[in-house]
Amino acid sequence: MTAELSAEILLEACDRGRTLDRAKYLALTDLARAEALQTGIAVARIARGERPVGYKIGFTNRSIWPLYGVFHPIWGPIWNTTVRHVGAFPSAADPSGNAPTAEVDVDCTHFAQPRLEPEIVVGLRETPRRNTPRAVFDAAEWIAHGFEIVQCPYPDWRFTAAEAIAAQSLHGALILGPRRPIASLGNDPDAAIERLGAVDFELFRDGTLVARGRGADVLDGPLHAIAHLAHEMSLRGHSIEPGAMISTGTLTDAQPLRIGQCWSSRPGELDLPGVAIRVTGAADPTPPPVLR
């Protein structure tokens, strides 16, 4: 017999880093049902003491839509338990603002089929007054580069858009690099928006360049992506909370993580330090277990 996916089943799979047995569950295609499941997971996480601190936006990079069969952005909450800070604002002792690449170890054995996504993250001081990139700039407090670790409880990364939304929009963790004030982009909002869209990013694995991306790849720019999120939330009677951080979507295709790898990024002309991670965990070449 096949059953419908539930918030409990999806949360357990992601908590335990396991994939689901496709033969046991009905396919999910209804977006409203998917959002209800995501809300159910959020309620369960809050009940066990976790606190939402912002949002991730997924599938903002149009170039990867055909790879996954998802042709519109998705989003979901991120949590105080899933965000890891590896930097802060420059100190008074570092007036140049030039910080070294932030490095951190990441144990990937806790995630189901983990992949890495380089992203621009924006922290909002207040709720944007309009759903436009300029209003987002006016409401922003800081920007940073980060790596989102995404995970997938569906075998072989095959899913519908609704299934991705239901599975917490595939969020696993956010490695947040050193932050910079939004004013570091300059005082002209239009120029800052254009600068974010024009920035080139390079992603390295074990010192070898494996992917490139541009800020404009994420819905024409990171602030455009947040404006899209604000619009979609307003359609549902909600708004982005003051103080929220938003991870705006991957600048390259998601890259599979393997134990022993070292990943690093180079954020082009922006005054943003890169991020480097070492993938750790018990050496085990077998695929993640199936949750039955």
Side-chain angles (χ1 to χ4, degrees), residues 130-138 189 193 223-225 227:
R130 297 177 306 282
N131 303 331
T132 64
R134 180 159 185 166
V136 173
F137 176 85
D138 291 339
I193 293 166
L223 301 188
H224 294 75

Side-chain angles (χ1 to χ4, degrees), residues 5-8 10 28 32-42 165-167:
L5 289 168
S6 68
E8 294 78 13
L10 290 167
L28 177 63
R33 170 65 178 158
E35 291 184 13
L37 289 175
Q38 187 187 105
T39 298
I41 291 175
I165 292 169

Side-chain angles (χ1 to χ4, degrees), residues 4 21 37 42 77 83 90 94 102-103 111-112 127 131 135 148 152 166 183 189 213 220 228 236 242 259 261 263 280:
E4 289 189 348
D21 183 349
L37 289 175
V83 176
D94 181 21
E103 297 184 357
F111 303 106
T127 300
N131 303 331
E148 186 185 14
C152 181
D220 302 320
H228 172 83
R236 293 155 176 79
I259 293 169
Q261 292 174 336
W263 291 88
T280 66

Side-chain angles (χ1 to χ4, degrees), residues 96-168:
S96 68
N98 294 322
T101 295
E103 297 184 357
V104 65
D105 289 345
V106 175
D107 184 349
C108 73
T109 58
H110 302 297
F111 303 106
Q113 306 178 104
R115 295 187 178 188
L116 187 74
E117 298 184 342
E119 310 205 3
I120 292 289
V121 185
V122 179
L124 297 183
R125 179 185 63 259
E126 60 188 28
T127 300
R129 298 181 181 181
R130 297 177 306 282
N131 303 331
T132 64
R134 180 159 185 166
V136 173
F137 176 85
D138 291 339
E141 181 179 10
W142 55 264
I143 60 171
H145 174 42
F147 284 144
E148 186 185 14
I149 297 174
V150 289
Q151 63 173 331
C152 181
Y154 310 108
D156 302 318
W157 276 82
R158 299 298 179 190
F159 44 75
T160 66
E163 288 169 343
I165 292 169
Q168 306 178 80

Side-chain angles (χ1 to χ4, degrees), residues 60 62 196-199 213-222 251:
T60 54
R62 299 182 184 97
L196 276 176
V199 67
R214 296 181 70 245
D217 291 338
V218 291
L219 292 185
D220 302 320
L251 296 155

